[in-house]
C-alpha cells in the first residue's frame, strides 16, 4: 500500500510571496487532514476534509490560507501572502472514513522556510 | 479548544532503563488516545493506541490510561538509543480529528 505522498519536500520563499503544497492520500482514504508543525511544537490541525467537503477548518487562518480537495482525492494547501511565522512543516495525513479511529498515517511533510 | 499537555523534556535515561512519558488532557469526553514517535526531521509515526482504562502492552511499549484522572502515559522498557526521539500524545477531538500535545523529547544514553 503506497503511503501519503506530499510535494515538494522543501520550499524557501520570501515573505509576501505565495506557495502551494500538494498531497495525495492513501488510496481509498476518504478523510484528509492538513497539519502545521512549528519547530518544537506538536502538529496543529489546519483543515480536515471528508471526501471533498470541509469538516473542520476552525484553526485555518482564512485571510491567507486556503485549501481544496476538488475530486475527493488529492488536495492542495495554499498560503498567500506568506509571513515569517508560517515557517513550519506542513503535514498531510489521511484515514479511512471517520475519525481515524485507528490513527493517522502522515506523509513525509513539506518544510517551508519564509525569509 | 481541547488542550493536551506534556513535559517538553528532554528526558534522559540510560540504555536498558524504563522511560516514562506522561500526558494530561482537558476534555473528560475524549475517547481515543494515541502515542506517536517523531525522529528529528521526520514525520510522526503511530506507535500505540489505547481506548479503555488500564494498560495495553505491545512489545517494549506499554500505554496506560486513567480517564478519571485524565491521564495517559507511555512506558518504554529496555530503552535503546534508537528510541531517542520526540514522543507526541494525541487525543481525539469530538471524534473528528486529533489534538496533539507539544511532545516530550527522549534521549537514551548509551
Amino acid at each position: 500500500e503506497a503511503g501519503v505522498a506530499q510535494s515538494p519536500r522543501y520550499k524557501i520563499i520570501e515573505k509576501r510571496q505565495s506557495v502551494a503544497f500538494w498531497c495525495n492520500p492513501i488510496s481509498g482514504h476518504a478523510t484528509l487532514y492538513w497539519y502545521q508543525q512549528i519547530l518544537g511544537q506538536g502538529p496543529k490541525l489546519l483543515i480536515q476534509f471528508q471526501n471533498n467537503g470541509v469538516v473542520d477548518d476552525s484553526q485555518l487562518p482564512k485571510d491567507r490560507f486556503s485549501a481544496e480537495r476538488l475530486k475527493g482525492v488529492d488536495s492542495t494547501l495554499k498560503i498567500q501572502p506568506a509571513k515569517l511565522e508560517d515557517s513550519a512543516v506542513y503535514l498531510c495525513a489521511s484515514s479511512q472514513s471517520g475519525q481515524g479511529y485507528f490513527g493517522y498515517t502522515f506523509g513525509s511533510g513539506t518544510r517551508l522556510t519564509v525569509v | 479548544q481541547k488542550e493536551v499537555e506534556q513535559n517538553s523534556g528532554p528526558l534522559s535515561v540510560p540504555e536498558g532503563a524504563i522511560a516514562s512519558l506522561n500526558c494530561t488532557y482537558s476534555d473528560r469526553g475524549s475517547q481515543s488516545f494515541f502515542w506517536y514517535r517523531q525522529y528529528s526531521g521526520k514525520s510522526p509515526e503511530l506507535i500505540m493506541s489505547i481506548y479503555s482504562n488500564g494498560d495495553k502492552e505491545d512489545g517494549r511499549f506499554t500505554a496506560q490510561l486513567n480517564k478519571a484522572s485524565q491521564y495517559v502515559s507511555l512506558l518504554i522498557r529496555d530503552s535503546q538509543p534508537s528510541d531517542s526521539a520526540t514522543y507526541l500524545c494525541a487525543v481525539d477531538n469530538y471524534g473528528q480529528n486529533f489534538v496533539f500535545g507539544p511532545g516530550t523529547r527522549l534521549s537514551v544514553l548509551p
Side-chain angles (χ1 to χ4, degrees):
Chain A
E1 177 181 75
V4 176
Q6 289 189 248
S7 67
R9 284 299 310 276
Y10 306 93
K11 192 74 175 178
I12 301 174
I13 63 171
E14 296 182 349
K15 59 184 179 184
R16 292 186 290 274
Q17 286 187 326
S18 63
V19 64
F21 313 127
W22 174 82
C23 173
N24 187 261
I26 293 173
S27 178
H29 281 194
T31 309
L32 185 148
Y33 315 82
W34 283 102
Y35 277 81
Q36 179 194 57
Q37 187 175 24
I38 293 172
L39 186 64
Q41 299 182 17
K44 182 184 82 170
L45 179 71
L46 293 176
I47 190 166
Q48 175 186 350
F49 292 97
Q50 179 76 16
N51 295 309
N52 61 351
V54 175
V55 175
D56 185 350
D57 64 356
S58 58
Q59 298 188 92
L60 185 72
K62 298 181 183 64
D63 57 335
R64 297 184 301 106
F65 286 65
S66 64
E68 60 183 12
R69 193 184 185 199
L70 292 176
K71 297 182 179 179
V73 181
D74 56 353
S75 176
T76 302
L77 176 70
K78 297 180 181 178
I79 307 175
Q80 182 178 8
K83 293 185 176 182
L84 295 176
E85 58 261 36
D86 298 331
S87 294
V89 176
Y90 291 84
L91 295 163
C92 180
S94 70
S95 67
Q96 294 175 356
S97 183
Q99 65 147 322
Y101 190 72
F102 302 104
Y104 297 164
T105 301
F106 282 98
S108 54
T110 296
R111 183 177 298 275
L112 173 67
T113 302
V114 182
V115 298
Chain B
Q1 175 67 29
K2 294 186 177 184
E3 292 186 359
V4 179
E5 297 184 352
Q6 299 179 252
N7 291 327
S8 61
L11 172 66
S12 295
V13 299
E15 184 174 355
I18 296 175
S20 178
L21 305 163
N22 304 318
C23 171
T24 58
Y25 58 94
S26 62
D27 189 343
R28 284 191 173 277
S30 297
Q31 297 294 319
S32 307
F33 307 87
F34 302 84
W35 283 98
Y36 281 80
R37 177 177 61 200
Q38 186 172 29
Y39 291 114
S40 180
K42 302 294 186 182
S43 58
E45 169 194 13
L46 179 65
I47 55 173
M48 288 287 289
S49 59
I50 187 166
Y51 310 105
S52 304
N53 279 329
D55 296 358
K56 178 182 178 181
E57 187 174 319
D58 183 1
R60 296 187 296 112
F61 298 98
T62 298
Q64 299 175 318
L65 175 61
N66 184 327
K67 290 185 178 180
S69 300
Q70 295 173 238
Y71 176 92
V72 58
S73 65
L74 179 70
L75 301 178
I76 307 175
R77 292 183 300 280
D78 188 23
S79 295
Q80 302 296 310
S82 58
D83 295 325
S84 297
T86 295
Y87 289 81
L88 299 162
C89 175
V91 177
D92 86 274
N93 181 30
Y94 303 109
Q96 295 289 352
N97 46 61
F98 301 155
V99 176
F100 283 83
T104 298
R105 190 154 54 95
L106 172 67
S107 179
V108 181
L109 306 174

